[in-house]
Amino acid sequence: MKFEQQLALKTIPSWAIYYLNYKKLKAVLYTDFESSSNKPVSNGTIAEEPVGKYQFSEEENQVNSHIDGYTVFRTSFLAEVDKVNKRYVEQESESSEKLKSLKTQWKSDMSIEAIEVWKADFIKLLRKLENLSDFTQSNITACRKILKKADKVAAQPMTLSLWPLVTNLRFAKSESDEALLHDARAVWRKRAAVSVPTTSPLEESKMRRLTPAVSTVSELDLASFPAGEISRVWVALAEDGMGLPIRVPVIIAKGSAEGPVVGITAALHGNELNGIPLIHRLFDEVQPSKLHGTLVAVPVANSPGFLLSQRGYTDGTDLNRVMPGKPNGSSPQVYAYNLMHRIIRHFDYLLDMHTASRGRVNSLYVRANLLDSRTARMARLQNPQIIVHNTSPDGSLRGAAMQRGIPAITVEIGDPSRFQKRFVRNALIGVTNILSQLRMIPDEANASEFEPVVCTRSFWIFAKSGGILTVHPDVNTWVRSGDLIATIHSVFGDLEEEYFAPQDGIIVGKHVDPVCQSGNRILHLGVVENELPAVVDDGHM
């Protein structure tokens, strides 16, 4: 179940039918090996594992009933990898021919129109090659995972016999997709940098995409922006030591019809960046003429931290712990106060985008108060892997917004200091789901690729001693009470300490920096229980 969710998140939707059918192969394992062997485990009971949602056809059942479990799995597995391999060979061949063709088509004296057509075709090729690379890696991982599971369920060395067959297939042994992508990127860098020929300075000036001057204001006045258009503005929140404004960028899509105001903030922690491309893509796609209401985004809510590539404000203060700020407080408190009063207070709904902190990795998950029907619905629509019930810590932007009566959720989109297009894509689907639910856009809400795990609470496990840390389970996987989750070794290589799961749960996030001090966070564990607590805070920092 857990790897299926990860595979679903990485699947390219238009290629979905060509991926290894992990769910079907798992069903083959548990159905045929249990029915053929029905072996008791050590405690005298039959080992049980849910088959999952895959349903065999009548023809498959008839065939499977006359064959032993090993043969059924082997046949099914090889059919799946053959399907993957055929798709790989087909796409690799098409991409190779297309790259050769585009190289041949390029001429230094091409017209402007021809160059634009050539570039558009080349961009499509780059996207296909990037998809092919992702497709290959996901399927190789899926093969390893299912064979590892087969070894365990069948009590036979399935990997030993089947993995060599996989590695003989082109998708697993060839690196031509990576070579093609490398070659294509090199061609693109070379050709995209070539100046487009023009016939006159006047025509050249018309072709330039000039960024219009963006004005600076002291407060966001939504009534002043034109309906049916996208506007940009800088909002000043404080002043630096030179007396110059410390500003944040704000993008406003004001619809042609009345509706709610939905706000999106990103990079409140300056090195948590995945929300930025999400906002850019959203505003590329939104059509103000068809929008009911207003969409407001702050791509970088902590501009000083962003410029320093750090989590906190200039002095290191966590802005997500001083909300709603103070008008006469410290520098970060004043900044937080003005962010709330000049921008956030105008929202009817808030989506606050974050990622893991430096040295940690996250699943795609949402923190929300699930006792509030509005935020509970927003959380489910957001399309996450995990939802954590959390009534919000004091000083957080989400908590300050909720206190003002603004329904707010926190969306954690993967890892810090990088852009992760898969997580961004899925989080963007969630944002558009919310806009659709609010009747702001005409699109229907997209169903989740999987049912998110809903955790009634979560908590962090901390290191008692320092040393070299290894956290064993992957993000978005389950652990049982008593499972080994982390070890700390000394710099000399001696085992110093072991950490075990205190109870069953799912890994929401974890520490990946091996250098560990006493008190460092190790692992964020989500727990599923029967009731939602009235007040719960994971102590998330």
Side-chain angles (χ1 to χ4, degrees):
M1 171 183 159
K2 299 83 185 176
F3 177 71
E4 288 169 27
Q5 292 179 339
Q6 295 181 52
L7 186 60
L9 184 63
K10 296 176 182 177
T11 296
I12 302 158
S14 59
W15 293 26
I17 61 173
Y18 303 106
Y19 279 73
L20 186 99
N21 195 329
Y22 185 87
K23 185 179 293 184
K24 174 182 176 179
L25 292 176
K26 194 170 76 168
V28 169
L29 278 175
Y30 290 119
T31 300
D32 289 283
F33 277 99
E34 288 185 356
S35 62
S36 61
S37 62
N38 214 29
K39 295 179 182 178
V41 294
S42 58
N43 62 2
T45 62
I46 302 299
E48 295 183 356
E49 179 89 14
V51 171
K53 295 181 180 178
Y54 182 81
Q55 298 295 321
F56 293 106
S57 67
E58 183 177 344
E59 181 182 353
E60 287 174 319
N61 280 324
Q62 288 176 350
V63 172
N64 293 352
S65 64
H66 294 92
I67 310 175
D68 66 275
Y70 173 81
T71 305
V72 172
F73 177 78
R74 185 180 189 277
T75 302
S76 300
F77 176 77
L78 292 180
E80 287 296 316
V81 295
D82 183 59
K83 174 186 71 176
V84 171
N85 192 59
K86 285 179 178 177
R87 178 65 172 178
Y88 175 87
V89 171
E90 172 192 89
Q91 294 298 306
E92 178 202 45
S93 176
E94 288 180 5
S95 299
S96 178
E97 290 301 316
K98 187 64 175 178
L99 181 58
K100 290 178 184 176
S101 174
L102 288 170
K103 285 181 176 179
T104 304
Q105 289 174 23
W106 177 267
K107 298 290 187 295
S108 59
D109 58 350
M110 289 167 66
S111 67
I112 298 170
E113 293 78 10
I115 289 176
E116 292 304 317
V117 171
W118 186 91
K119 286 184 176 181
D121 287 343
F122 209 97
I123 289 172
K124 290 179 182 177
L125 174 64
L126 285 171
R127 296 294 175 266
K128 178 184 279 192
L129 287 170
E130 288 169 353
N131 286 343
L132 185 60
S133 178
D134 292 342
F135 174 79
T136 302
Q137 293 306 314
S138 293
N139 280 290
I140 289 173
T141 301
C143 287
R144 289 183 181 277
K145 289 281 188 179
I146 196 65
L147 290 177
K148 182 178 179 181
K149 187 175 285 292
D151 289 344
K152 181 179 179 182
V153 174
Q156 298 181 39
M158 306 282 266
T159 300
L160 190 63
S161 61
L162 294 178
W163 181 247
L165 300 179
V166 175
T167 56
N168 279 329
L169 295 173
R170 188 165 179 80
F171 86 94
K173 72 177 182 180
S174 174
E175 296 181 355
S176 60
D177 58 314
E178 293 294 336
L180 282 170
L181 181 57
H182 178 79
D183 189 13
R185 284 172 172 166
V187 172
W188 175 255
R189 285 193 296 269
K190 181 179 179 181
R191 299 306 182 198
V194 175
S195 300
V196 177
T198 59
T199 57
S200 71
L202 178 60
E203 290 181 4
E204 182 178 358
S205 67
K206 289 180 180 178
M207 288 189 300
R208 291 176 184 159
R209 296 182 62 186
L210 298 176
T211 302
V214 178
S215 61
T216 299
V217 299
S218 59
E219 179 158 348
L220 191 65
D221 178 12
L222 295 180
S224 66
F225 297 105
E229 295 183 18
I230 294 177
S231 304
R232 300 171 180 178
V233 70
W234 293 100
V235 178
L237 300 182
E239 292 185 355
D240 64 16
M242 298 288 288
L244 300 174
I246 300 175
R247 310 174 299 176
V248 295
V250 181
I251 311 173
I252 305 98
K254 190 171 182 179
S256 56
E258 292 296 319
V261 178
V262 172
I264 305 173
T265 52
L268 183 63
H269 292 140
N271 62 347
E272 299 182 6
L273 308 179
N274 271 329
I276 298 173
L278 182 150
I279 288 171
H280 292 167
R281 287 184 58 180
L282 177 63
F283 278 81
D284 280 343
E285 296 175 8
V286 73
Q287 296 177 282
S289 61
K290 298 180 180 180
L291 182 67
H292 289 245
T294 303
L295 185 61
V296 181
V298 185
V300 179
N302 176 6
S303 51
F306 174 79
L307 293 173
L308 294 170
S309 296
Q310 69 180 31
R311 175 184 173 89
Y313 196 66
T314 50
D315 63 354
T317 297
D318 186 342
L319 290 176
N320 211 29
R321 289 297 175 271
V322 296
M323 296 292 174
K326 296 180 180 179
N328 298 306
S330 63
S331 293
Q333 287 174 329
V334 171
Y335 185 95
Y337 177 85
N338 288 332
L339 178 65
M340 286 293 303
H341 285 262
R342 298 181 183 183
I343 300 175
I344 305 299
R345 71 180 181 89
H346 298 288
F347 300 165
D348 295 320
Y349 298 88
L350 170 64
L351 309 176
D352 187 24
M353 304 292 168
H354 286 261
T355 73
S357 303
R358 190 184 301 276
R360 304 177 201 159
V361 293
N362 267 348
S363 56
L364 174 57
Y365 82 99
V366 169
R367 289 200 303 278
N369 183 353
L370 300 183
L371 294 173
D372 186 306
S373 60
R374 301 166 302 172
T375 51
R377 181 63 176 158
M378 290 168 67
R380 287 191 174 277
L381 288 167
Q382 187 53 53
N383 203 31
Q385 295 171 304
I386 300 170
I387 298 172
V388 174
H389 173 52
N390 182 287
T391 52
S392 78
D394 292 339
S396 70
L397 178 58
R398 176 167 64 96
M402 292 289 285
Q403 288 174 1
R404 295 186 67 96
I406 303 170
I409 63 173
T410 301
V411 185
E412 295 278 352
I413 316 174
D415 309 336
S417 301
R418 58 185 299 201
F419 290 159
Q420 295 168 288
K421 61 182 181 181
R422 293 281 177 243
F423 276 175
V424 169
R425 183 195 71 199
N426 279 274
L428 178 60
I429 291 172
V431 173
T432 56
N433 282 349
I434 292 172
L435 298 180
S436 176
Q437 181 71 18
L438 293 171
R439 304 286 193 271
M440 293 181 68
I441 57 176
D443 301 331
E444 293 294 326
N446 292 285
S448 295
E449 295 180 7
F450 38 75
E451 184 68 19
V453 175
V454 179
C455 298
T456 51
R457 62 185 178 90
S458 68
F459 59 91
W460 280 90
I461 297 168
F462 294 86
K464 298 176 183 176
S465 58
I468 309 301
L469 172 68
T470 303
V471 182
H472 301 293
D474 291 330
V475 164
N476 197 36
T477 60
W478 291 87
V479 293
R480 295 189 180 277
S481 179
D483 285 355
L484 179 68
I485 56 173
T487 51
I488 292 181
H489 288 77
S490 72
V491 291
F492 299 104
D494 300 321
L495 179 64
E496 295 288 333
E497 194 144 18
E498 294 180 319
Y499 294 84
F500 299 90
Q503 61 189 107
D504 296 352
I506 190 168
I507 310 303
V508 180
K510 71 174 189 175
H511 205 78
V512 291
D513 187 346
V515 181
C516 176
Q517 296 182 356
S518 300
N520 274 14
R521 292 165 187 262
I522 293 177
L523 181 146
H524 186 191
L525 188 67
V527 178
V528 179
E529 295 171 330
N530 294 328
E531 295 184 2
L532 296 170
V535 178
V536 61
D537 173 16
D538 60 13
H540 187 86
M541 296 292 286

